[in-house]
Short mmCIF file of all heavy atoms in Angstrom, two decimals:
data_model
loop_
_atom_site.label_atom_id
_atom_site.label_comp_id
_atom_site.label_asym_id
_atom_site.label_seq_id
_atom_site.Cartn_x
_atom_site.Cartn_y
_atom_site.Cartn_z
N MET D 291 54.98 161.26 169.63
CA MET D 291 55.61 161.96 168.66
C MET D 291 56.31 160.93 167.67
O MET D 291 57.05 160.10 168.13
CB MET D 291 56.67 162.91 169.19
CG MET D 291 57.44 163.78 168.26
SD MET D 291 58.68 164.85 169.00
CE MET D 291 57.79 166.06 169.83
N SER D 292 56.19 161.10 166.32
CA SER D 292 56.94 160.13 165.46
C SER D 292 58.43 160.61 165.49
O SER D 292 58.86 161.61 165.88
CB SER D 292 56.42 160.29 164.07
OG SER D 292 56.88 161.38 163.39
N PHE D 293 59.12 159.47 164.99
CA PHE D 293 60.68 159.60 165.03
C PHE D 293 61.12 160.94 164.05
O PHE D 293 62.03 161.60 164.46
CB PHE D 293 61.38 158.43 164.64
CG PHE D 293 62.89 158.43 164.94
CD1 PHE D 293 63.32 158.46 166.25
CD2 PHE D 293 63.78 158.53 163.94
CE1 PHE D 293 64.57 158.56 166.52
CE2 PHE D 293 65.15 158.53 164.20
CZ PHE D 293 65.49 158.51 165.48
N GLU D 294 60.40 160.94 162.99
CA GLU D 294 60.73 162.08 162.03
C GLU D 294 60.50 163.34 162.67
O GLU D 294 61.29 164.32 162.46
CB GLU D 294 59.91 161.89 160.89
CG GLU D 294 60.34 160.82 159.75
CD GLU D 294 61.86 161.12 159.23
OE1 GLU D 294 62.13 162.31 158.94
OE2 GLU D 294 62.75 160.30 159.23
N LEU D 295 59.34 163.61 163.43
CA LEU D 295 59.14 164.83 164.02
C LEU D 295 60.20 165.18 165.19
O LEU D 295 60.55 166.23 165.39
CB LEU D 295 57.72 164.71 164.68
CG LEU D 295 56.58 164.94 163.68
CD1 LEU D 295 55.29 164.77 164.54
CD2 LEU D 295 56.62 166.33 163.03
N LEU D 296 60.54 164.04 165.78
CA LEU D 296 61.63 164.24 166.79
C LEU D 296 63.02 164.67 166.19
O LEU D 296 63.57 165.66 166.66
CB LEU D 296 61.96 162.84 167.62
CG LEU D 296 63.01 162.88 168.61
CD1 LEU D 296 62.68 163.78 169.71
CD2 LEU D 296 63.19 161.45 169.14
N LEU D 297 63.34 164.17 165.01
CA LEU D 297 64.50 164.58 164.22
C LEU D 297 64.23 166.02 163.90
O LEU D 297 65.32 166.88 163.93
CB LEU D 297 64.63 163.65 162.96
CG LEU D 297 65.22 162.41 163.21
CD1 LEU D 297 65.24 161.54 161.97
CD2 LEU D 297 66.54 162.30 163.89
N ASP D 298 63.10 166.42 163.43
CA ASP D 298 62.96 167.91 163.01
C ASP D 298 63.10 168.76 164.21
O ASP D 298 63.69 169.78 164.08
CB ASP D 298 61.43 168.00 162.55
CG ASP D 298 61.20 167.46 161.14
OD1 ASP D 298 62.26 167.17 160.42
OD2 ASP D 298 60.03 167.26 160.66
N ALA D 299 62.70 168.33 165.37
CA ALA D 299 62.62 169.12 166.59
C ALA D 299 64.09 169.28 167.00
O ALA D 299 64.50 170.34 167.45
CB ALA D 299 61.79 168.54 167.70
N VAL D 300 64.91 168.29 167.07
CA VAL D 300 66.17 168.25 167.56
C VAL D 300 67.25 168.71 166.50
O VAL D 300 68.13 169.63 166.92
CB VAL D 300 66.74 166.82 168.00
CG1 VAL D 300 68.13 166.71 168.57
CG2 VAL D 300 65.70 166.42 169.10
N LEU D 301 67.12 168.29 165.42
CA LEU D 301 68.16 168.61 164.36
C LEU D 301 67.81 169.58 163.40
O LEU D 301 68.64 170.27 162.74
CB LEU D 301 68.60 167.32 163.58
CG LEU D 301 69.29 166.11 164.50
CD1 LEU D 301 69.59 164.94 163.48
CD2 LEU D 301 70.44 166.57 165.19
N GLY D 302 66.49 169.74 163.06
CA GLY D 302 66.05 170.74 162.11
C GLY D 302 66.31 170.33 160.79
O GLY D 302 66.46 169.13 160.42
N GLU D 303 66.63 171.34 159.91
CA GLU D 303 66.99 171.05 158.38
C GLU D 303 68.26 170.10 158.53
O GLU D 303 69.21 170.35 159.18
CB GLU D 303 67.25 172.28 157.73
CG GLU D 303 66.07 173.05 157.46
CD GLU D 303 65.10 172.43 156.46
OE1 GLU D 303 65.55 172.00 155.36
OE2 GLU D 303 63.92 172.42 156.83
N ARG D 304 68.12 169.14 157.64
CA ARG D 304 69.26 168.10 157.61
C ARG D 304 69.32 167.43 156.30
O ARG D 304 68.42 167.26 155.65
CB ARG D 304 69.08 167.15 158.72
CG ARG D 304 67.96 166.31 158.70
CD ARG D 304 67.55 165.61 159.80
NE ARG D 304 66.32 164.77 159.75
CZ ARG D 304 65.06 165.40 159.76
NH1 ARG D 304 64.92 166.57 159.98
NH2 ARG D 304 64.04 164.55 159.73
N GLU D 305 70.48 166.74 156.06
CA GLU D 305 70.70 165.96 154.86
C GLU D 305 71.32 164.75 155.45
O GLU D 305 72.22 164.86 156.19
CB GLU D 305 71.68 166.77 153.97
CG GLU D 305 71.27 166.75 152.49
CD GLU D 305 72.16 167.74 151.69
OE1 GLU D 305 73.28 167.56 151.59
OE2 GLU D 305 71.51 168.64 151.11
N LEU D 306 71.01 163.62 154.74
CA LEU D 306 71.64 162.31 155.15
C LEU D 306 73.19 162.39 154.66
O LEU D 306 73.48 162.71 153.61
CB LEU D 306 70.92 161.19 154.43
CG LEU D 306 71.16 159.89 154.90
CD1 LEU D 306 69.86 158.95 154.71
CD2 LEU D 306 72.48 159.18 154.38
N PHE D 307 73.94 161.99 155.62
CA PHE D 307 75.40 161.91 155.32
C PHE D 307 75.88 160.64 155.13
O PHE D 307 76.46 160.17 153.93
CB PHE D 307 76.11 162.63 156.52
CG PHE D 307 77.66 162.65 156.33
CD1 PHE D 307 78.25 163.11 155.10
CD2 PHE D 307 78.44 162.20 157.35
CE1 PHE D 307 79.58 163.21 155.01
CE2 PHE D 307 79.85 162.21 157.16
CZ PHE D 307 80.46 162.65 156.02
N HIS D 308 75.80 159.73 156.05
CA HIS D 308 76.19 158.31 155.81
C HIS D 308 75.47 157.47 156.95
O HIS D 308 74.84 157.86 157.94
CB HIS D 308 77.67 158.05 155.80
CG HIS D 308 78.30 158.19 157.09
ND1 HIS D 308 79.51 157.47 157.31
CD2 HIS D 308 78.14 158.99 158.14
CE1 HIS D 308 79.88 157.77 158.52
NE2 HIS D 308 79.14 158.73 159.12
N VAL D 309 75.46 156.17 156.65
CA VAL D 309 74.66 155.25 157.44
C VAL D 309 75.70 154.13 157.96
O VAL D 309 76.45 153.55 157.17
CB VAL D 309 73.55 154.62 156.70
CG1 VAL D 309 72.76 153.55 157.48
CG2 VAL D 309 72.65 155.61 155.98
N ILE D 310 75.65 153.95 159.21
CA ILE D 310 76.43 152.68 159.85
C ILE D 310 75.40 151.85 160.51
O ILE D 310 74.22 152.06 160.64
CB ILE D 310 77.45 153.33 160.69
CG1 ILE D 310 76.90 153.88 161.97
CG2 ILE D 310 78.46 154.22 160.14
CD1 ILE D 310 77.93 154.00 163.19
N ASP D 311 75.99 150.69 160.90
CA ASP D 311 75.21 149.75 161.72
C ASP D 311 75.19 150.26 163.14
O ASP D 311 76.17 150.51 163.75
CB ASP D 311 75.68 148.35 161.76
CG ASP D 311 75.61 147.73 160.27
OD1 ASP D 311 74.68 148.02 159.61
OD2 ASP D 311 76.21 146.77 160.05
N CYS D 312 74.00 150.45 163.75
CA CYS D 312 73.99 150.87 165.03
C CYS D 312 74.79 149.86 166.13
O CYS D 312 74.35 148.70 166.01
CB CYS D 312 72.50 151.02 165.44
SG CYS D 312 72.16 151.50 167.21
N THR D 313 75.59 150.37 166.96
CA THR D 313 76.23 149.59 167.84
C THR D 313 75.34 148.90 168.83
O THR D 313 75.74 147.97 169.51
CB THR D 313 77.37 150.22 168.49
OG1 THR D 313 76.87 151.38 169.08
CG2 THR D 313 78.42 150.57 167.51
N VAL D 314 74.22 149.44 169.16
CA VAL D 314 73.21 148.99 170.05
C VAL D 314 72.38 148.00 169.51
O VAL D 314 72.14 146.92 170.08
CB VAL D 314 72.47 150.25 170.63
CG1 VAL D 314 71.50 149.66 171.71
CG2 VAL D 314 73.39 151.28 171.40
N CYS D 315 71.55 148.30 168.51
CA CYS D 315 70.64 147.42 167.95
C CYS D 315 70.83 146.75 166.76
O CYS D 315 70.15 145.69 166.18
CB CYS D 315 69.28 148.12 167.97
SG CYS D 315 69.24 149.39 166.53
N GLY D 316 71.96 147.18 166.05
CA GLY D 316 72.31 146.53 164.63
C GLY D 316 71.51 147.12 163.46
O GLY D 316 71.70 146.74 162.44
N SER D 317 70.50 148.02 163.86
CA SER D 317 69.75 148.68 162.72
C SER D 317 70.64 149.77 162.12
O SER D 317 71.72 149.86 162.40
CB SER D 317 68.46 149.09 163.29
OG SER D 317 67.63 149.53 162.22
N GLU D 318 69.95 150.61 161.35
CA GLU D 318 70.70 151.76 160.65
C GLU D 318 70.83 152.88 161.60
O GLU D 318 69.78 153.46 161.99
CB GLU D 318 70.00 152.13 159.37
CG GLU D 318 69.99 151.04 158.30
CD GLU D 318 69.33 151.59 157.05
OE1 GLU D 318 68.50 152.53 157.12
OE2 GLU D 318 69.59 150.97 155.87
N GLU D 319 72.02 153.25 161.69
CA GLU D 319 72.34 154.49 162.49
C GLU D 319 72.65 155.51 161.44
O GLU D 319 73.73 155.39 160.69
CB GLU D 319 73.44 154.48 163.51
CG GLU D 319 73.62 155.63 164.35
CD GLU D 319 74.57 155.43 165.50
OE1 GLU D 319 75.70 154.99 165.18
OE2 GLU D 319 74.16 155.39 166.71
N ILE D 320 71.96 156.67 161.39
CA ILE D 320 72.17 157.66 160.24
C ILE D 320 72.86 158.87 160.73
O ILE D 320 72.35 159.43 161.88
CB ILE D 320 70.88 157.94 159.63
CG1 ILE D 320 70.09 156.72 159.11
CG2 ILE D 320 70.97 158.90 158.51
CD1 ILE D 320 68.82 156.81 158.61
N TYR D 321 73.88 159.30 160.05
CA TYR D 321 74.45 160.69 160.34
C TYR D 321 74.05 161.64 159.45
O TYR D 321 73.75 161.36 158.29
CB TYR D 321 76.03 160.52 160.12
CG TYR D 321 76.82 159.74 161.30
CD1 TYR D 321 76.59 158.35 161.35
CD2 TYR D 321 77.53 160.46 162.17
CE1 TYR D 321 77.17 157.73 162.53
CE2 TYR D 321 78.20 159.71 163.23
CZ TYR D 321 77.92 158.45 163.32
OH TYR D 321 78.63 157.85 164.47
N TYR D 322 73.71 162.87 160.06
CA TYR D 322 73.12 163.94 159.22
C TYR D 322 74.19 165.12 159.14
O TYR D 322 74.91 165.27 160.12
CB TYR D 322 71.86 164.37 159.83
CG TYR D 322 70.73 163.49 159.78
CD1 TYR D 322 70.48 162.59 160.96
CD2 TYR D 322 70.07 163.20 158.63
CE1 TYR D 322 69.51 161.59 160.82
CE2 TYR D 322 69.11 162.25 158.56
CZ TYR D 322 68.76 161.46 159.70
OH TYR D 322 67.74 160.54 159.69
N VAL D 323 74.21 165.90 157.99
CA VAL D 323 74.87 167.13 157.87
C VAL D 323 73.91 168.25 157.61
O VAL D 323 72.74 168.17 157.21
CB VAL D 323 75.83 167.13 156.79
CG1 VAL D 323 76.87 165.98 157.05
CG2 VAL D 323 75.21 166.79 155.43
N ASP D 324 74.31 169.44 158.02
CA ASP D 324 73.56 170.57 157.67
C ASP D 324 73.51 170.81 156.10
O ASP D 324 74.58 170.60 155.48
CB ASP D 324 74.33 171.89 158.33
CG ASP D 324 73.48 173.15 158.05
OD1 ASP D 324 73.50 173.73 156.94
OD2 ASP D 324 72.85 173.57 159.06
N PRO D 325 72.34 171.03 155.52
CA PRO D 325 72.32 171.19 154.12
C PRO D 325 73.06 172.22 153.52
O PRO D 325 73.48 172.13 152.37
CB PRO D 325 70.72 171.44 153.85
CG PRO D 325 70.02 171.24 155.15
CD PRO D 325 71.04 171.28 156.18
N ILE D 326 73.39 173.26 154.19
CA ILE D 326 74.16 174.42 153.67
C ILE D 326 75.74 174.36 154.11
O ILE D 326 76.44 174.35 153.13
CB ILE D 326 73.59 175.73 154.20
CG1 ILE D 326 72.20 175.87 153.61
CG2 ILE D 326 74.46 176.92 153.75
CD1 ILE D 326 71.36 176.90 154.26
N SER D 327 76.01 174.05 155.27
CA SER D 327 77.42 174.11 155.83
C SER D 327 78.09 172.77 155.43
O SER D 327 79.31 172.74 155.53
CB SER D 327 77.56 174.52 157.19
OG SER D 327 77.03 173.57 158.17
N LYS D 328 77.14 171.78 155.39
CA LYS D 328 77.70 170.39 155.19
C LYS D 328 78.48 169.86 156.45
O LYS D 328 79.28 168.98 156.44
CB LYS D 328 78.65 170.23 154.02
CG LYS D 328 77.95 170.64 152.68
CD LYS D 328 76.74 169.83 152.49
CE LYS D 328 76.10 170.35 151.10
NZ LYS D 328 74.86 169.63 150.87
N GLN D 329 78.28 170.62 157.55
CA GLN D 329 78.89 170.22 158.93
C GLN D 329 78.05 169.14 159.48
O GLN D 329 76.79 169.14 159.43
CB GLN D 329 79.02 171.35 159.67
CG GLN D 329 79.79 171.18 161.04
CD GLN D 329 79.99 172.38 161.66
OE1 GLN D 329 79.30 173.30 162.01
NE2 GLN D 329 81.33 172.69 162.02
N GLN D 330 78.70 168.18 160.05
CA GLN D 330 77.93 167.10 160.70
C GLN D 330 77.05 167.67 161.93
O GLN D 330 77.69 168.33 162.67
CB GLN D 330 78.74 166.07 161.17
CG GLN D 330 79.21 164.98 160.10
CD GLN D 330 79.90 163.81 160.61
OE1 GLN D 330 79.40 163.17 161.46
NE2 GLN D 330 81.02 163.54 160.26
N ILE D 331 75.83 167.45 161.93
CA ILE D 331 74.93 168.10 163.02
C ILE D 331 74.60 167.09 163.97
O ILE D 331 74.00 167.35 165.05
CB ILE D 331 73.84 168.77 162.41
CG1 ILE D 331 73.08 167.97 161.46
CG2 ILE D 331 74.30 170.05 161.64
CD1 ILE D 331 71.71 168.68 160.98
N GLY D 332 74.54 165.81 163.61
CA GLY D 332 73.95 164.78 164.59
C GLY D 332 73.86 163.36 163.88
O GLY D 332 74.13 163.11 162.76
N LYS D 333 73.48 162.41 164.81
CA LYS D 333 73.11 161.10 164.38
C LYS D 333 71.94 160.54 165.08
O LYS D 333 71.50 161.02 166.07
CB LYS D 333 74.34 160.19 164.64
CG LYS D 333 74.69 160.08 166.16
CD LYS D 333 75.92 159.09 166.35
CE LYS D 333 76.06 158.91 167.77
NZ LYS D 333 77.16 158.05 168.03
N ALA D 334 71.30 159.54 164.44
CA ALA D 334 70.06 159.00 164.94
C ALA D 334 69.89 157.59 164.55
O ALA D 334 70.23 157.25 163.53
CB ALA D 334 68.90 159.90 164.51
N CYS D 335 69.15 156.88 165.44
CA CYS D 335 68.86 155.57 165.20
C CYS D 335 67.36 155.39 165.39
O CYS D 335 66.88 155.62 166.54
CB CYS D 335 69.67 154.50 166.00
SG CYS D 335 68.97 152.80 165.78
N SER D 336 66.57 155.19 164.39
CA SER D 336 65.18 155.06 164.59
C SER D 336 64.67 153.86 165.33
O SER D 336 63.66 153.88 166.08
CB SER D 336 64.39 155.20 163.15
OG SER D 336 64.71 154.02 162.34
N GLN D 337 65.47 152.77 165.30
CA GLN D 337 65.07 151.66 166.01
C GLN D 337 65.20 151.91 167.54
O GLN D 337 64.33 151.45 168.35
CB GLN D 337 65.92 150.43 165.56
CG GLN D 337 65.70 148.99 166.09
CD GLN D 337 64.29 148.60 165.60
OE1 GLN D 337 64.05 148.92 164.44
NE2 GLN D 337 63.56 147.91 166.44
N CYS D 338 66.23 152.59 167.95
CA CYS D 338 66.53 152.82 169.37
C CYS D 338 65.69 153.95 169.76
O CYS D 338 65.62 154.19 170.97
CB CYS D 338 68.01 153.12 169.61
SG CYS D 338 69.13 151.76 169.41
N GLY D 339 65.26 154.79 168.90
CA GLY D 339 64.54 156.05 169.10
C GLY D 339 65.55 157.03 169.65
O GLY D 339 65.27 157.89 170.44
N PHE D 340 66.87 156.88 169.24
CA PHE D 340 67.96 157.68 169.80
C PHE D 340 68.34 158.82 168.75
O PHE D 340 68.49 158.75 167.59
CB PHE D 340 69.12 156.75 169.84
CG PHE D 340 70.50 157.39 170.05
CD1 PHE D 340 70.89 157.98 171.34
CD2 PHE D 340 71.44 157.56 169.10
CE1 PHE D 340 72.18 158.47 171.46
CE2 PHE D 340 72.60 158.12 169.22
CZ PHE D 340 72.99 158.58 170.43
N VAL D 341 68.43 160.14 169.30
CA VAL D 341 68.93 161.22 168.55
C VAL D 341 69.96 161.98 169.34
O VAL D 341 69.88 162.25 170.41
CB VAL D 341 67.69 162.22 168.30
CG1 VAL D 341 68.32 163.33 167.29
CG2 VAL D 341 66.68 161.47 167.54
N GLN D 342 71.11 162.22 168.72
CA GLN D 342 72.21 162.95 169.33
C GLN D 342 72.44 164.11 168.41
O GLN D 342 72.79 163.97 167.27
CB GLN D 342 73.45 162.11 169.54
CG GLN D 342 74.62 162.97 170.22
CD GLN D 342 75.84 162.10 170.31
OE1 GLN D 342 75.97 160.98 170.06
NE2 GLN D 342 76.82 162.88 170.89
N LYS D 343 72.48 165.28 169.01
CA LYS D 343 72.92 166.46 168.28
C LYS D 343 74.35 166.76 168.61
O LYS D 343 74.77 166.86 169.79
CB LYS D 343 72.05 167.73 168.68
CG LYS D 343 72.39 169.00 167.91
CD LYS D 343 71.37 170.15 168.20
CE LYS D 343 71.73 171.28 167.46
NZ LYS D 343 70.55 172.12 167.10
N PHE D 344 75.21 166.99 167.62
CA PHE D 344 76.56 167.38 167.83
C PHE D 344 76.71 168.85 168.12
O PHE D 344 76.13 169.74 167.36
CB PHE D 344 77.52 167.02 166.71
CG PHE D 344 77.56 165.55 166.41
CD1 PHE D 344 77.65 165.12 165.05
CD2 PHE D 344 77.24 164.65 167.32
CE1 PHE D 344 77.65 163.77 164.63
CE2 PHE D 344 77.18 163.18 166.91
CZ PHE D 344 77.31 162.86 165.64
N GLU D 345 77.58 169.24 169.21
CA GLU D 345 77.69 170.66 169.33
C GLU D 345 79.01 171.02 169.00
O GLU D 345 80.10 170.29 169.15
CB GLU D 345 77.56 170.96 170.86
CG GLU D 345 76.27 170.47 171.36
CD GLU D 345 74.99 171.38 171.03
OE1 GLU D 345 75.35 172.53 170.49
OE2 GLU D 345 73.88 171.00 171.17
N PHE D 346 79.23 172.17 168.29
CA PHE D 346 80.51 172.62 167.77
C PHE D 346 80.82 173.94 168.33
O PHE D 346 80.05 174.79 168.48
CB PHE D 346 80.57 172.77 166.25
CG PHE D 346 80.41 171.40 165.59
CD1 PHE D 346 79.10 170.93 165.11
CD2 PHE D 346 81.48 170.48 165.37
CE1 PHE D 346 79.04 169.66 164.53
CE2 PHE D 346 81.36 169.34 164.80
CZ PHE D 346 80.21 168.86 164.41
N ASP D 347 82.20 174.17 168.53
CA ASP D 347 82.73 175.50 168.93
C ASP D 347 82.85 176.19 167.62
O ASP D 347 83.24 175.63 166.58
CB ASP D 347 84.03 175.39 169.61
CG ASP D 347 83.87 174.76 170.99
OD1 ASP D 347 82.79 174.83 171.60
OD2 ASP D 347 84.90 173.97 171.45
N HIS D 348 82.72 177.47 167.48
CA HIS D 348 83.06 178.28 166.37
C HIS D 348 84.64 178.25 166.16
O HIS D 348 85.43 178.41 167.24
CB HIS D 348 82.59 179.66 166.50
CG HIS D 348 81.07 179.81 166.29
ND1 HIS D 348 80.58 179.65 165.02
CD2 HIS D 348 80.08 179.97 167.12
CE1 HIS D 348 79.25 179.70 165.18
NE2 HIS D 348 78.96 179.85 166.47
N GLN D 349 84.90 178.04 164.99
CA GLN D 349 86.40 177.82 164.61
C GLN D 349 86.87 178.91 163.68
O GLN D 349 87.74 178.72 162.90
CB GLN D 349 86.69 176.36 164.05
CG GLN D 349 86.23 175.37 164.94
CD GLN D 349 86.43 173.96 164.38
OE1 GLN D 349 86.32 173.83 163.22
NE2 GLN D 349 86.64 172.93 165.15
N GLU D 350 86.38 180.02 163.91
CA GLU D 350 86.76 181.06 163.02
C GLU D 350 87.62 182.23 163.68
O GLU D 350 87.68 182.26 164.88
CB GLU D 350 85.64 181.79 162.37
CG GLU D 350 84.95 180.84 161.36
CD GLU D 350 83.60 181.42 160.93
OE1 GLU D 350 83.74 182.33 159.99
OE2 GLU D 350 82.49 181.05 161.41
ZN1 ZN B 660 69.85 151.36 167.31
#
């Protein structure tokens, strides 16, 4: 499975939020937001093959 497909599977619709240096490999670690709510939904490093989805409690 390609990394982009993995991102599609784990995070779904997403927009690039910001990029930092990955603390593990030094490559680009990318933070993503939901395109509509603009809430951060996860981060990923393609070099590490790492994807993390952020879970949120409803705050309403
Ligand atoms: Zn990395």
Side-chain angles (χ1 to χ4, degrees):
M291 184 188 283
S292 79
F293 193 69
E294 282 298 313
L295 283 176
L296 180 62
L297 287 178
D298 285 346
V300 176
L301 299 179
E303 289 292 312
R304 62 196 179 279
E305 225 169 62
L306 198 154
F307 178 53
H308 71 150
V309 180
I310 65 166
D311 292 337
C312 176
T313 53
V314 177
C315 70
S317 186
E318 291 182 341
E319 185 174 60
I320 302 172
Y321 282 71
Y322 294 99
V323 294
D324 185 284
I326 295 165
S327 71
K328 304 299 180 187
Q329 190 169 50
Q330 285 191 51
I331 55 174
K333 62 179 182 175
C335 173
S336 61
Q337 188 67 33
C338 296
F340 164 82
V341 181
Q342 180 184 358
K343 181 174 183 150
F344 301 151
E345 303 290 348
F346 292 97
D347 296 327
H348 284 285
Q349 298 174 336
E350 296 175 75

